[in-house]
């Protein structure tokens, strides 16, 4: 959300989530789903806004009010809402009465109750009383909120379509509760009677009055009460304007959730149908012509499933001969018997069905997707129906392909946007942490201070690696992660791990042991970062679940064959252990250990990532554990003999960061983050003490500075207020003096996706430096482009 309108409480009064391609319709709310949030807690209201912003539910406009009276007023003034999110505890109403008062004022709106964890039963009772759903505060995320709202929106849409369908079909429904004595009728029945629709509940005694417009139903209800399970009857009634109309009524008996007997009635205006039946004889010849020539299959069937008549298109569609079709049971033409049964039930209830989708099974076993449009035909000597069967197989397949493509594209786009956003938000503070650590480690420190800063730097680097892996967890699960094999000192890696974990171990007063097999060569070749990540996940896990006792790390060589060294690393602890039925589940994504008296923090990703990293390197991983007596997590990987070289130390040659000129560097840094400004400034000044460094806080400020000053190079952040890095670079390349085309502009950004496929060049950047930046890499690129500019 780029903009919010805030009220005096400090949270958003209403905000809009909109699709990116509205093309000039951003100020029109006709296409938005209106949601009313009745919530007086600013934090809970703000959380709803944030969760909606994170979800895939677009085209929403939310209005927040803090009292029930204001909510009712909003409903009266603004009309229908797609959903109402209702807190049951408000300044002017508390408890179950809040829902009852709202439903009394707005019975047709969908209400989703927001309740506390301790009031879960209240939420369940709210649903029974008429709420659509309930959500427990603090226990729902963006997906659950979006799912509930999406269901509400779709329910509104379905109800509107149902209302439209009833109006078009001239069908209404009513019900009578034999316990509460309440009689209700839908809007369409009012219309059939020539009355204005209204929300009125009658008693059975009311409709027994001959002057009551619903009195014609009394006899049918009485028959139903006297034992008949289902009643169907056509009757003539007089509407309010005196017109005689024919209606078809059907009554059935059922039980509601309170086990009350409820009589359900359907009333259809069949006046036009009666007239049509009179005209049917005259149109018979025309019908026969259409029947014979239609490209759609037309079938006349009885309700005992016999095919009475059918056209040539039916023979072509089914693959059966006329003789075979005359003997076949109609249900055998359906792939699913349940679908056939549902079609017949619907047809008998509604008397007409339009575009009912079904899969038709041909004689050769092939399936065709079809729509069925049918009407009941009833006379003295025939009770059946006519059906037009339209083959939509090709259209259906095209629609499915299009839906699959659209879903895949939206999913990929959302994933890309999510990863880009999270990457930026995590890398920006990491740049400050690593940058300050690099600066501190170059100052005069005593041994203890150096160890502290060194551990911070190493921990930050490891955290950055873990962040990258978490952001790419889907890549891990798909087996597409890339491994980089290099030479490294295993003992040094293990010692660094001990230093980083040392404070956690001391904090819990645990005994810690590191045992390394002397047969393992000191330098091996493998993926150092992935090994680090596996180790930190397993050791961190052991410390977390151990309150007393020890943690031991044992490293042994299991084999040596054809230049490969098998190394087994086990992490043993005296912690809580794992129940037998949970041992397999601990390696699954988002699995967390739960205890009756304690909840352990964590995302539940650590062991899953560790297993994925081991599996994709063709290794083994497992656990030996007894509940209450600790655990032993182990993994085994193959490595090669290694030898450290200058390249493996990531040393950049001295001449790589030397400026080939006697004049000092004149550099423009465009960065809005104050801490990152300081990190970059101090880092560059330590390298080049005579550098002239100018800082711009955003792209617009940078453009103004460039109009009046010359620079050797620009370091440009991407995400900034007023004018971002993309806009500023485009302005430099396209609008400003042509001489600035030769000015090197490096994207210095936390957006990791910019490095893929050299996308940075599309925006006019010469190169990029990814935050958190490695100082030597930054120096190297500055020297490279400054030298090129001055020599060019």
């Amino acid at each position: 959300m780029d903009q919010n309108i805030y009220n005096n409480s400090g949270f958003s009064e209403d905000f809009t989530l909109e699709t990116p391609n509205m093309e000039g319709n951003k100020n029109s709310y006709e296409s938005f789903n209106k949601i009313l949030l009745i919530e007086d807690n600013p934090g809970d209201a703000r959380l709803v806004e944030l969760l909606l912003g994170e979800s895939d539910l677009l085209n929403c406009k939310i209005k927040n009010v803090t009292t029930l009276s204001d909510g009712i007023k909003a409903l009266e003034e603004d009309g229908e809402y797609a959903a109402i999110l209702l807190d049951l505890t408000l300044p002017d109403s508390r408890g179950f009465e809040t829902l009852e008062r709202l439903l009394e004022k707005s019975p047709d709106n969908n209400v989703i109750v927001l309740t506390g964890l301790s009031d879960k039963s209240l939420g369940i009772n709210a649903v029974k009383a008429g709420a659509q759903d309930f959500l427990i505060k603090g226990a729902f995320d963006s997906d659950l909120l979006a799912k509930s709202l999406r269901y509400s929106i779709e329910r509104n849409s379905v109800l509107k379509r149902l209302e439209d369908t009833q109006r078009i079909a001239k069908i209404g429904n009513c019900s009578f509760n034999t316990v509460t004595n309440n009689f209700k009728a839908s809007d369409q029945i009012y219309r059939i009677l020539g009355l204005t629709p209204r929300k009125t509940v009658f008693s059975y005694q009311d409709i027994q009055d001959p002057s009551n417009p619903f009195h014609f139903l009394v006899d049918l209800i009485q028959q139903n009460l006297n034992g008949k399970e289902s009643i169907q009857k056509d009757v003539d009634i007089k509407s309010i304007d005196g017109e005689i109309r024919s209606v078809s009524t059907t009554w059935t008996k059922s039980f509601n959730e309170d086990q009350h007997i409820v009589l359900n009635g359907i009333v259809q205006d069949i006046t036009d149908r009666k007239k049509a039946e009179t005209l049917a004889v005259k149109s018979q010849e025309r019908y026969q012509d259409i029947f014979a020539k239609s490209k759609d299959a037309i079938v006349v069937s009885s309700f005992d499933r016999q095919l009475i008549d059918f056209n040539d298109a039916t023979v072509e569609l089914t693959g059966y001969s006329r003789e075979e079709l005359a003997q076949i049971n109609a249900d055998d033409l359906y792939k699913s018997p349940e679908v056939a049964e549902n079609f017949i039930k619907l047809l008998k209830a509604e008397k007409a069905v339009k575009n009912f989708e079904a899969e038709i099974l041909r004689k050769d076993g092939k399936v065709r997707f079809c729509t069925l449009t049918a009407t009941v035909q009833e006379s003295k000597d025939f009770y059946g129906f006519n059906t037009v069967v339209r083959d939509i197989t090709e259209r259906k397949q095209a629609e499915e392909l299009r839906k699959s493509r659209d879903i895949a594209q939206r999913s990929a786009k959302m994933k890309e946007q999510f990863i880009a956003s999270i990457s930026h938000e995590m890398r920006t503070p990491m740049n400050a942490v690593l940058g300050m650590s690099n600066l501190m480690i170059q100052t005069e420190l005593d041994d203890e201070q150096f160890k502290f800063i060194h551990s911070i730097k190493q921990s930050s680097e490891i955290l950055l690696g873990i962040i990258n892996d978490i952001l790419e967890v889907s890549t891990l699960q798909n087996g597409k992660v890339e491994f980089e094999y290099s030479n490294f000192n295993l003992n040094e890696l293990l010692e660094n791990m001990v230093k980083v974990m040392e404070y956690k171990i001391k904090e819990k007063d645990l005994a810690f042991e590191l045992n390394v097999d002397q047969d393992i060569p000191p330098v091996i070749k493998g993926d150092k970062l992935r090994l680090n990540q596996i180790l930190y996940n397993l050791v961190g896990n052991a410390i977390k679940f151990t309150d007393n006792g020890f943690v031991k790390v044992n490293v042994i060589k299991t084999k040596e064959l054809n230049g490969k060294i098998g190394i087994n690393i086990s992490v043993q602890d005296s912690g809580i252990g794992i129940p037998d039925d949970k041992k397999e589940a601990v390696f699954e994504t988002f699995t967390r250990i739960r205890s009756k008296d304690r909840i352990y923090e964590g995302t539940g990703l650590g062991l899953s990532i560790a297993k994925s990293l081991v599996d994709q390197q063709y290794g083994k991983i497992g656990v030996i554990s007894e509940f209450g007596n600790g655990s032993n997590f182990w993994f085994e990987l193959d490595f090669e003999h290694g030898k450290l070289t200058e390249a493996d130390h990531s040393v950049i040659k001295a001449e790589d960061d030397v400026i080939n000129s006697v004049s000092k560097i004149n550099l423009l840094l465009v960065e809005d983050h104050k801490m990152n400004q300081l990190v970059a400034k101090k880092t560059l000044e330590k390298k080049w003490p005579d550098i002239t460094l100018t800082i711009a806080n955003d792209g617009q400020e940078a453009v103004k500075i460039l109009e009046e000053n010359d620079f050797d190079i620009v370091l440009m952040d991407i995400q900034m207020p007023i004018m971002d890095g993309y806009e500023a670079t485009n302005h430099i390349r396209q609008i400003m003096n042509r001489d600035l085309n030769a000015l090197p502009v490096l994207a210095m950004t936390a957006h990791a996706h910019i490095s893929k496929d050299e996308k940075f060049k599309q925006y006019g950047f010469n190169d990029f430096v990814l935050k958190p930046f490695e100082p030597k890499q930054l120096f190297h690129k500055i020297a490279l482009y400054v030298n090129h500019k001055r020599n060019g």
Side-chain angles (χ1 to χ4, degrees):
M1 291 174 288
D2 293 325
Q3 293 182 342
N4 280 323
I5 302 173
Y6 290 90
N7 63 17
N8 293 331
S9 299
F11 59 88
S12 168
E13 182 178 297
D14 63 311
F15 74 97
T16 300
L17 300 173
E18 61 191 36
T19 55
N21 299 316
M22 293 188 68
E23 298 181 0
N25 195 31
K26 289 186 178 180
N27 293 325
S28 172
Y29 295 124
E30 294 179 0
S31 60
F32 286 97
N33 294 300
K34 296 192 299 181
I35 297 172
L36 179 62
L37 172 61
I38 307 177
E39 170 62 70
D40 66 321
N41 187 311
D44 290 338
R46 181 59 176 161
L47 178 60
V48 170
E49 293 182 6
L50 292 174
L51 291 178
L52 275 177
E54 292 175 0
S55 75
D56 61 350
L57 187 66
L58 303 176
N59 289 350
C60 285
K61 181 176 185 291
I62 186 167
K63 181 179 180 66
N64 176 223
V65 296
T66 58
T67 65
L68 179 61
S69 58
D70 284 345
I72 293 172
K73 182 179 179 182
L75 289 168
E76 293 172 347
E77 295 176 351
D78 299 337
E80 291 186 350
Y81 281 81
I84 301 172
L85 296 172
L86 175 66
D87 182 10
L88 292 182
T89 304
L90 297 169
D92 58 345
S93 182
R94 303 179 68 85
F96 206 76
E97 181 186 354
T98 305
L99 174 64
E100 293 176 333
R101 289 174 58 190
L102 183 65
L103 290 177
E104 181 181 353
K105 292 291 185 181
S106 181
D108 291 334
N109 271 301
N110 296 325
V111 180
I112 300 172
V113 168
L114 301 177
T115 182
L117 182 61
S118 60
D119 296 330
K120 182 177 180 180
S121 60
L122 188 61
I124 296 173
N125 290 332
V127 172
K128 291 181 178 180
Q132 176 191 296
D133 200 355
F134 74 96
L135 296 172
I136 300 174
K137 292 183 180 180
F140 65 87
D141 57 12
S142 60
D143 289 339
L144 187 57
L145 177 61
K147 179 180 178 182
S148 187
L149 286 175
R150 190 181 293 108
Y151 175 80
S152 176
I153 292 168
E154 182 59 26
R155 180 175 179 268
N156 260 355
S157 176
V158 169
L159 290 176
K160 288 178 180 178
R161 289 198 298 270
L162 179 60
E163 177 68 22
D164 290 340
T165 301
Q166 286 192 347
R167 185 182 293 109
I168 293 170
K170 298 182 179 180
I171 296 175
N173 61 281
C174 51
S175 65
F176 169 57
N177 189 312
T178 60
V179 176
T180 64
N181 210 31
N182 287 341
F183 173 83
K184 298 178 182 179
S186 70
D187 291 351
Q188 187 55 35
I189 294 184
Y190 280 88
R191 295 189 187 98
I192 292 172
L193 295 171
L195 300 170
T196 301
R198 61 184 184 274
K199 303 299 178 186
T200 303
V201 178
F202 295 108
S203 70
Y204 185 51
Q205 285 73 23
D206 291 333
I207 68 171
Q208 286 179 315
D209 184 346
S211 65
N212 189 288
F214 298 96
H215 180 72
F216 73 97
L217 296 172
V218 171
D219 181 57
L220 296 167
I221 292 175
Q222 193 61 49
Q223 289 183 51
N224 220 187
L225 287 172
N226 290 339
K228 290 189 177 182
E229 293 297 323
S230 178
I231 300 172
Q232 194 282 323
K233 187 177 182 181
D234 294 347
V235 296
D236 291 333
I237 62 170
K238 181 182 290 187
S239 65
I240 199 69
D241 57 4
E243 182 183 358
I244 302 299
R245 305 197 66 80
S246 298
V247 296
S248 175
T249 63
T250 302
W251 286 83
T252 58
K253 187 183 299 183
S254 64
F255 293 89
N256 66 8
E257 60 181 11
D258 296 321
Q259 295 304 305
H260 295 173
I261 296 177
V262 177
L263 307 184
N264 299 299
I266 295 174
V267 178
Q268 182 180 17
D269 185 346
I270 60 171
T271 305
D272 294 337
R273 194 182 80 195
K274 289 288 188 180
K275 293 177 181 178
E277 289 174 356
T278 304
L279 297 173
V281 176
K282 297 180 181 179
S283 63
Q284 186 64 30
E285 290 183 1
R286 185 171 63 236
Y287 170 76
Q288 288 296 333
D289 187 54
I290 295 172
F291 183 83
K293 296 179 180 179
S294 173
K295 293 182 179 180
D296 294 329
I298 301 176
V299 183
V300 179
S301 309
S302 63
F303 275 110
D304 60 4
R305 310 301 199 268
Q306 294 302 306
L307 303 184
I308 307 302
D309 198 4
F310 44 84
N311 61 357
D312 291 340
T314 307
V315 175
E316 184 178 352
L317 174 66
T318 63
Y320 290 96
S321 67
R322 280 191 166 273
E323 293 73 17
E324 290 172 325
L325 284 173
Q327 301 298 321
I328 203 169
N329 186 299
D331 286 356
D332 294 337
L333 295 175
Y334 292 85
K335 180 183 177 183
S336 167
E338 290 79 10
V339 171
E341 187 64 28
N342 290 339
F343 170 68
I344 295 299
K345 285 182 179 179
L346 183 62
L347 184 59
K348 284 184 176 180
E350 305 290 346
K351 304 302 181 184
V353 174
K354 185 176 182 181
N355 293 333
F356 182 94
E357 292 196 7
E359 293 175 293
I360 300 300
L361 187 64
R362 285 173 50 87
K363 181 181 179 180
D364 58 12
K366 294 181 179 179
V367 174
R368 306 299 292 179
F369 292 96
C370 299
T371 60
L372 312 181
T373 298
T375 56
V376 172
Q377 299 296 315
E378 188 173 4
S379 62
K380 293 181 179 179
D381 53 1
F382 178 72
Y383 180 47
F385 54 96
N386 296 341
T387 308
V388 177
V389 185
R390 175 161 294 176
D391 189 344
I392 61 167
T393 303
E394 284 72 22
R395 189 184 79 191
K396 190 82 171 178
Q397 291 171 343
E399 288 177 355
E400 292 300 321
L401 287 173
R402 179 183 57 79
K403 288 179 182 178
S404 298
R405 180 201 64 201
D406 291 345
I407 290 171
Q409 289 176 345
R410 286 197 299 270
S411 177
K413 185 66 176 177
M414 289 176 61
K415 179 180 177 182
E416 182 180 349
Q417 291 173 345
F418 170 78
I419 291 177
S421 175
I422 295 299
S423 174
H424 179 273
E425 294 304 316
M426 289 185 170
R427 286 175 175 272
T428 297
M430 284 299 298
N431 184 65
V433 174
L434 274 172
M436 285 299 182
S437 299
N438 285 327
L439 291 171
M440 283 290 293
I441 213 164
Q442 298 177 55
T443 62
E444 293 184 5
L445 304 169
D446 60 34
D447 290 344
E448 185 177 24
Q449 291 171 332
F450 180 84
K451 288 180 181 179
F452 290 160
I453 298 299
H454 190 63
S455 293
I456 291 174
K457 184 174 183 294
Q458 288 179 330
S459 297
S460 300
E461 290 171 346
I462 293 166
L463 178 58
L464 179 62
I466 293 173
I467 287 171
N468 290 338
D469 281 339
I470 292 176
L471 293 176
E472 295 178 1
V473 68
S474 61
T475 305
L476 284 168
Q477 291 173 340
N478 293 333
K480 296 180 179 179
V481 66
E482 295 181 2
F483 293 90
E484 297 182 2
Y485 298 100
S486 60
N487 298 304
F488 64 93
N489 189 304
L490 178 60
N491 290 327
E492 184 179 294
L493 180 146
L494 292 169
E495 290 170 2
N496 287 337
M497 181 271 295
V498 173
K499 289 177 183 177
V500 172
M501 293 295 183
E502 189 174 17
Y503 81 95
K504 289 185 178 180
I505 296 167
K506 288 182 178 179
E507 187 178 54
K508 301 186 77 171
D509 196 24
L510 301 175
F512 184 84
E513 288 185 21
L514 172 62
N515 304 307
V516 183
D517 193 337
Q518 296 301 313
D519 291 340
I520 299 176
V523 179
I524 57 177
K525 187 174 183 179
D527 192 311
K528 177 181 177 181
L529 175 63
R530 306 302 178 185
L531 178 59
N532 244 328
Q533 191 170 348
I534 297 167
L535 274 172
Y536 279 96
N537 275 324
L538 296 186
V539 175
N541 204 62
I543 296 172
K544 181 183 3 178
F545 293 105
T546 304
D547 292 329
N548 298 288
F550 64 87
V551 173
K552 297 179 182 179
V553 178
N554 300 307
V555 186
I556 61 173
K557 183 174 76 173
T558 58
K559 64 181 178 181
E560 185 168 356
L561 183 64
N562 298 326
K564 297 283 187 180
I565 306 167
I567 297 179
N568 181 290
I569 301 179
S570 63
V571 180
Q572 184 180 0
D573 65 66
S574 57
I576 64 173
I578 306 170
D580 290 339
D581 61 343
K582 300 294 184 183
K583 289 180 183 178
E584 292 298 325
V586 295
F587 290 108
E588 296 178 1
T589 304
F590 300 114
T591 297
R592 300 176 63 189
I593 298 295
R594 298 183 181 275
S595 175
K596 291 182 179 179
D597 55 357
R598 181 174 175 184
I599 297 177
Y600 292 88
E601 62 181 9
T603 63
L605 284 174
L607 293 177
S608 172
I609 291 174
K611 186 178 188 305
S612 181
L613 291 172
V614 171
D615 289 345
Q616 292 184 49
Q617 294 181 86
Y618 305 102
K620 299 177 182 178
I621 187 169
V623 60
I624 301 170
S625 181
E626 182 181 348
F627 187 61
N629 290 316
S631 302
N632 186 358
F633 283 87
W634 60 269
F635 67 96
E636 186 170 327
L637 291 172
D638 287 344
F639 296 87
E640 297 178 9
H641 282 275
K643 181 180 180 181
L644 290 180
T645 64
E646 185 177 10
D648 294 314
H649 284 293
S650 301
V651 174
I652 299 177
K653 296 180 180 179
E655 61 265 29
D656 287 343
D657 54 24
V658 173
I659 304 299
N660 298 330
S661 174
V662 294
S663 61
K664 60 187 179 181
I665 307 172
N666 194 8
L667 184 146
L668 175 61
L669 172 65
V670 190
E671 168 68 68
D672 66 311
H673 195 282
K674 298 299 181 183
M675 187 62 70
N676 284 335
Q677 287 179 1
L678 179 62
V679 169
K681 182 175 183 295
K682 293 296 184 182
T683 301
L684 292 171
E685 288 178 346
K686 278 187 175 291
K687 175 63 180 176
W688 293 297
D690 60 348
I691 189 173
T692 300
L693 193 148
T694 305
I695 297 177
N697 293 294
D698 56 66
Q700 188 178 83
E701 190 176 322
V703 168
K704 291 180 180 179
I705 293 173
L706 284 169
E707 289 174 347
E708 301 174 359
N709 302 275
D710 294 328
F711 292 91
D712 295 305
I713 193 168
V714 178
L715 298 182
M716 181 76 72
D717 187 24
I718 297 296
Q719 188 167 311
M720 297 179 293
I722 304 176
M723 180 184 283
D724 63 28
Y726 297 130
E727 296 170 322
T729 304
N730 182 70
H731 187 90
I732 293 169
R733 300 301 190 209
Q734 303 297 329
I735 299 174
M736 298 187 72
N737 190 305
R738 299 292 294 176
D739 294 339
L740 289 175
N741 280 341
L743 176 65
V745 180
L746 308 187
M748 192 165 157
T749 178
H751 285 290
H753 72 283
I754 199 172
S755 62
K756 297 179 180 178
D757 303 322
E758 297 188 333
K759 287 185 178 180
F760 59 90
K761 293 182 179 178
Q762 300 174 12
Y763 305 110
F765 296 106
N766 297 85
D767 207 334
F768 71 94
V769 177
L770 195 60
K771 295 177 184 176
F773 63 80
E774 169 59 42
K776 291 181 180 180
Q777 182 191 48
L778 176 63
F779 302 152
H780 167 68
K781 291 196 175 184
I782 291 174
L784 176 68
Y785 286 99
V786 170
N787 288 335
H788 184 269
K789 179 177 181 291
R790 292 181 176 180
N791 296 335

